[in-house]
Amino acid sequence: MTAIPLPPQPLPRGRLPRWLPVRRLRQVLCLLPLVLVGVVAVRHRSVLADGFGQLRTAEWPWLLAAAGATCLTWVAAAVTRQGALVQRLPPLRLLATQFAAGAANHLLPTGLGASAVNLRFMAVCGVPPVRSSAALALYLLAEGVARVGLLAALLLAFPGALRLGTLLPEGVAGPLPAVLGAAALVAAGSLLLVRRLRSAVCAFLRTALGEARSVHVRPVRALALWGGALAFPLLQAAGLVAVGRALALPVPPAHVAVAYLAATVAVALVPTPGGIGSVEAALVVALVAAGGPAAVATAAVLAYRVVTVWLPLLPGALTLGALVRLKVL
């Protein structure tokens, strides 16, 4: 009697086929951040060498202060991330994730690396995708509002700190509003014409507004969200002030803070990994517009980027790989 072959049984939901080398894939993902660090370092080796060269002539107590401010930015990011979500996240793993997300943010186009890492972390912690996406949107909104609000407040307090027009390349100020307007029209047209997209966006907005209300009815969460969002750019600006002091940059600290906030707002739409290249150029122009000599401003920016980007990049990549290996991400 011939046996009748049974049809292949479907895999249980969430299970991967046995032939898929999951362990090998995870090992590759652990090593991928280190490979990307090497690629980025090779591509920007001249900037990296110049930046480390400037550190030799700097005053080390101020550089240590800049490093301390940089470390506190990860704490501020962790506090803000927790404030954007009602569900409690593991504090130590959340902090380690922000350190790793900083490295991912410098290896991928601006914002994508950190967003992907945090979405994955929230998924592992059991947060539904819709709620984690809403928390991410709330975090980005709070960070943007806080940064622009601080810039506006400092410009009102110090109206002569710098000329904002110098932050944009010549000829960009004219077509920029037209480009932004055209993008807004395309987005609005897509929402009106594509029913499925419109339904998905409306559902997401309802969830996001509900999550925002849930966060703001809890004073601890609201304080963490907005306090962390305000502290994050202030700590970044404090790091640049400290590096400027280390290299004797003749610009008042408040004007340096204005220059930093204006430069980072100006390059927010430039999709380069971690703003590498665009941030340096905008910061140099902003510091010169604030009254600093071009040579000293360039040296301060290079040293600042070494302290805040290049020195934490390798440890951050190692932390990212370790979190992937430990299945935290």
Side-chain angles (χ1 to χ4, degrees), residues 57-269:
T57 61
E59 297 182 15
W60 283 98
W62 285 110
L63 290 181
L64 291 176
T70 301
C71 294
L72 289 176
T73 58
W74 302 318
V75 178
V79 170
T80 312
R81 299 279 183 187
Q82 178 60 85
L85 187 67
V86 175
Q87 180 176 330
R88 182 174 174 79
L89 299 173
L92 293 180
R93 281 187 283 171
L94 176 60
L95 181 59
T97 300
Q98 301 319 301
F99 182 47
N105 213 38
H106 296 304
L107 299 174
L108 296 174
T110 304
L112 293 181
S115 299
V117 169
N118 279 283
L119 285 174
R120 177 60 184 167
F121 174 67
M122 286 187 282
V124 172
C125 291
V127 181
V130 176
R131 292 182 58 193
S132 61
S133 300
L136 176 63
L138 183 57
Y139 170 86
L140 294 175
L141 176 64
E143 203 275 335
V145 169
R147 189 176 295 270
V148 174
L150 282 173
L151 175 60
L154 287 175
L155 284 174
L156 289 175
F158 306 96
L162 81 164
R163 300 182 301 276
L164 287 178
T166 59
L167 293 178
L168 295 175
E170 187 177 354
V172 171
L176 184 60
V179 172
L180 294 178
L185 288 176
V186 171
S190 300
L191 289 177
L192 291 175
L193 296 176
V194 184
R195 182 177 179 180
R196 184 173 296 180
L197 177 62
R198 184 171 65 251
S199 301
V201 170
C202 290
F204 173 76
L205 289 177
R206 285 194 297 269
T207 303
L209 290 175
E211 288 297 312
R213 284 194 297 268
S214 300
V215 164
H216 285 88
V217 297
R218 293 168 170 79
V220 175
R221 289 289 188 269
L223 179 61
L225 175 65
W226 292 104
L230 287 169
F232 187 75
L234 281 176
L235 288 167
Q236 290 180 319
L240 182 58
V241 169
V243 172
R245 288 297 181 116
L247 293 172
L249 178 68
V251 179
H255 292 197
V256 174
V258 171
Y260 174 81
L261 292 171
T264 53
V265 169
V267 301
L269 298 178

